[in-house]
Amino acid sequence: MNINLKTSLLAMGVAVLSSVSTVYALRQNHSTDTAVWLDSLSGNLHNVKMSPNEAAPDFVTAAENTVNGVVSIKSFATPRYNSYSQSQPFSDPFFEYFFGGGRQQPRQQPRNEEPRQTGLGSGVILSSDGYIVTNNHVVDGAEKLEVSLNDNQTFNATVVGTDPTTDLALIKIDGENLHVIPMGESDNLKVGEWVLAVGNPFGFTSTVTKGIVSAKARNISSITQSVPSGVESFIQTDAAVNPGNSGGALVNMQGELVGINTAIYSQTGSFAGYSFAIPTSIVKKVVTDLKQYGTVQRAILGVRFAELTPKLAQEKNITAVTQGIYVGSVEDRSAAYEASLREGDVIVSIAGSPTNNNGQLQEEIAKHRPGDKVEIKYYRDNKPYTVTVTLRNTKGSTDVTRPADLIALGCAFKTVQQSTLRQLEISNGVQVVGLKDGLFKSAGIRDGLIITEINNGKITSPEDIEKIYRAILSSGPDYDKVMFITGVYPTGKKVYYAVDLSE
């Protein structure tokens, strides 16, 4: 791979505002009917003040009523070392992939290593008793979370629930009478409207930046031609957002929360003109589910689709509409199948909201739970139709989804000694122990297997397996819920297994 190609690959990246980037700026970014939050809807709202010449809005009121509702979140974890030294700045696989790198000498895991600060992000207070929303990537992998308020009060936080699909997490501190930012309606935002981003960029606390709404329902993956990371229907703004802003507030000029700042589009990893926030239409649904159920009750329509383009419309002889979602196929046992949707249909609205692009479709479905009934308007053979659909979950039912539990695998996991790894000539792995009836045994796995990879991800600790397991169960239809395992038995035999998690 030549340098020009490597540079081009870097330039195509969408920089997720990883909480770890404040501490390890270049090394960590690689390692997406609701109950009402009463506290979030309370409080006095303030009208926008205009200057004497009525030419520019006054941002002071919105800023003053927001900064006390945004917190700083420090994450701590015990350093983990792979089989090669990480003391050299370019021994990281990220740099080896893009720039090449020499093989380092083996290094043993230090003993009694204390947790260290691995990242810094932001969060938004949702209730006066201490519920806080932030990004999943801010808390992911943390052994300890430390939350600091704007008045320098500090609390330890616990994780209530996480959702990698939307990159949201709900955490809790033991606080009282905390300042709450009122919850606004992101659906009411207009392109061109003023907004403020509040957070802790680069560790600078209580930082406020301004901008306008540049676009709504933005799907980043479709622009960058990258693999979708989950639900993508972002509010795009030109408010300056940088590493450390992750999980912070995007507010309108009334001081209402309208989004959670999450990502930037950048060639460098720092702000370069555009930032992206998860709209509160999704945030409210996700945090309510996490608080009530411990996991998101995700509705699925059950279609494979593409945005209607002029080329696609010409190929399929679609003349009645110029925008919409073209149905490529319908999944078995899905809501769409039950409603008799079929290949070639063009969906133009769901529950009264237009579906002109992927982002709008994802956002509208993400607002609902399995069992919700929604009206879908679509075109078939250039004629309009309307159908009411009962949305389902990933298992094809309307049952409540329970949090993922490793007990279903039917085994425990333990760290493999370095001497065993050297003997088998492998650099990493986690061993299966205490195998009982469960998904692993049903797939043919035997006691003693050393798992080295799952779904092409390297396994170095039992926590890695749990993280992948929960990520698989939290997104995608049933036929995607598979663990593809690569492993080695103590005899040296290399094996491969596919474990179906949809049962």
Side-chain angles (χ1 to χ4, degrees):
M1 183 180 294
N2 59 45
I3 294 298
N4 289 335
L5 180 55
K6 295 168 186 172
T7 303
S8 298
L9 285 173
L10 283 173
M12 290 296 293
V14 175
V16 174
L17 298 182
S18 174
S19 61
V20 298
S21 57
T22 301
V23 179
Y24 301 116
L26 292 176
R27 299 171 50 79
Q28 299 296 324
N29 233 8
H30 59 285
S31 18
T32 187
D33 53 297
T34 59
V36 176
W37 290 89
L38 295 178
D39 284 347
S40 298
L41 296 176
S42 63
N44 296 322
L45 304 183
H46 299 270
N47 294 326
V48 179
K49 295 181 180 179
M50 303 300 291
S51 59
N53 59 10
E54 297 185 351
D58 178 4
F59 302 101
V60 175
T61 301
E64 288 180 343
N65 285 277
T66 301
V67 290
N68 290 322
V70 176
V71 303
S72 171
I73 302 175
K74 294 179 182 178
S75 60
F76 296 82
T78 303
R80 294 214 318 261
Y81 298 85
N82 59 27
S83 58
Y84 303 110
S85 171
Q86 294 188 356
S87 60
Q88 308 254 347
F90 295 102
S91 63
D92 193 288
F94 175 81
F95 290 100
E96 291 183 9
Y97 178 77
F98 286 108
F99 303 110
R103 186 180 178 94
Q104 306 295 325
Q105 294 299 315
R107 174 180 175 178
Q108 292 184 347
Q109 170 75 38
R111 297 181 179 180
N112 301 321
E113 189 78 58
E114 292 294 326
R116 300 178 185 175
Q117 184 180 336
T118 55
L120 177 66
S122 304
V124 179
I125 300 173
L126 293 178
S127 65
S128 60
D129 60 348
Y131 282 97
I132 295 169
V133 64
T134 185
N135 284 140
N136 175 68
H137 72 262
V138 169
V139 304
D140 188 31
E143 298 171 8
K144 174 186 174 183
L145 293 173
E146 184 179 282
V147 171
S148 298
L149 306 186
N150 194 40
D151 62 3
N152 292 327
Q153 290 189 76
T154 301
F155 302 83
N156 289 328
T158 57
V159 177
V160 177
T162 62
D163 183 39
T165 300
T166 55
D167 194 19
L168 289 171
L170 183 65
I171 64 176
K172 177 72 166 61
I173 62 174
D174 291 328
E176 296 180 353
N177 301 318
L178 302 178
H179 183 89
V180 176
I181 300 177
M183 186 73 75
E185 295 292 339
S186 57
D187 287 347
N188 295 336
L189 278 178
K190 304 295 184 184
V191 174
E193 183 176 340
W194 285 108
V195 286
L196 301 179
V198 187
N200 306 285
F202 303 117
F204 296 116
T205 59
S206 305
T207 298
V208 180
T209 57
K210 68 176 177 63
I212 63 169
V213 176
S214 305
K216 295 180 63 179
R218 180 68 79 198
N219 185 293
I220 300 177
S221 299
S222 64
I223 303 300
T224 62
Q225 304 301 311
S226 57
V227 177
S229 58
V231 175
E232 292 188 9
S233 183
F234 295 109
I235 301 167
Q236 178 182 320
T237 80
D238 62 353
V241 171
N242 280 292
N245 273 111
S246 284
L250 185 74
V251 300
N252 60 20
M253 292 305 296
Q254 285 73 45
E256 300 171 308
L257 183 71
V258 291
I260 298 298
N261 295 314
T262 297
I264 56 178
Y265 181 71
S266 171
Q267 299 178 1
T268 64
S270 296
F271 180 72
Y274 296 108
S275 55
F276 301 89
I278 303 167
T280 52
S281 60
I282 293 176
V283 174
K284 285 188 290 186
K285 161 66 167 51
V286 170
V287 296
T288 300
D289 281 357
L290 292 177
K291 185 170 185 259
Q292 186 171 349
Y293 301 103
T295 189
V296 176
Q297 305 301 304
R298 180 154 288 113
I300 300 294
L301 180 58
V303 296
R304 292 183 179 272
F305 59 87
E307 289 183 15
L308 184 65
T309 63
K311 181 179 179 181
L312 182 59
Q314 184 177 15
E315 290 176 355
K316 303 298 182 181
N317 193 30
I318 298 171
T319 58
V321 290
T322 58
Q323 290 181 303
I325 298 297
Y326 179 83
V327 177
S329 64
V330 176
E331 305 300 333
D332 293 340
R333 300 172 55 208
S334 68
Y337 186 91
E338 181 187 35
S340 299
L341 292 175
R342 69 189 189 200
E343 179 182 352
D345 291 346
V346 180
I347 300 172
V348 294
S349 75
I350 296 178
S353 297
T355 55
N356 297 329
N357 55 51
N358 293 350
Q360 289 179 331
L361 175 69
Q362 290 187 47
E363 181 175 349
E364 191 55 42
I365 295 297
K367 296 177 186 177
H368 294 90
R369 292 175 177 165
D372 287 352
K373 296 181 184 295
V374 296
E375 184 181 79
I376 295 181
K377 294 183 178 180
Y378 65 99
Y379 281 78
R380 177 181 295 169
D381 298 327
N382 293 312
K383 297 178 181 178
Y385 296 89
T386 300
V387 65
T388 298
V389 175
T390 301
L391 298 174
R392 300 184 181 186
N393 60 27
T394 58
K395 294 183 179 181
S397 73
T398 59
D399 296 337
V400 171
T401 301
R402 299 301 177 185
D405 192 340
L406 279 176
I407 293 176
L409 299 181
C411 65
F413 304 97
K414 74 173 185 178
T415 303
V416 183
Q417 294 183 352
Q418 287 293 323
S419 59
T420 302
L421 295 178
R422 286 194 296 269
Q423 181 181 353
L424 295 172
E425 297 184 338
I426 56 178
S427 61
N428 60 278
V430 171
Q431 192 165 36
V432 174
V433 294
L435 188 67
K436 299 178 181 179
D437 290 341
L439 297 178
F440 269 27
K441 189 173 183 179
S442 298
I445 293 174
R446 302 194 303 273
D447 233 351
L449 174 67
I450 298 174
I451 299 174
T452 58
E453 291 184 0
I454 297 179
N455 294 5
N456 296 320
K458 186 174 290 188
I459 301 300
T460 60
S461 72
E463 290 75 21
D464 290 340
I465 296 178
E466 181 176 4
K467 185 185 301 183
I468 292 175
Y469 176 74
R470 295 185 185 280
I472 292 173
L473 290 186
S474 67
S475 62
D478 280 350
Y479 56 79
D480 285 332
K481 295 185 181 300
V482 180
M483 275 187 171
F484 294 104
I485 293 176
T486 301
V488 178
Y489 281 106
T491 60
K493 181 181 179 181
K494 190 171 185 178
V495 291
Y496 304 90
Y497 295 99
V499 180
D500 184 1
L501 303 183
S502 63
E503 300 178 2

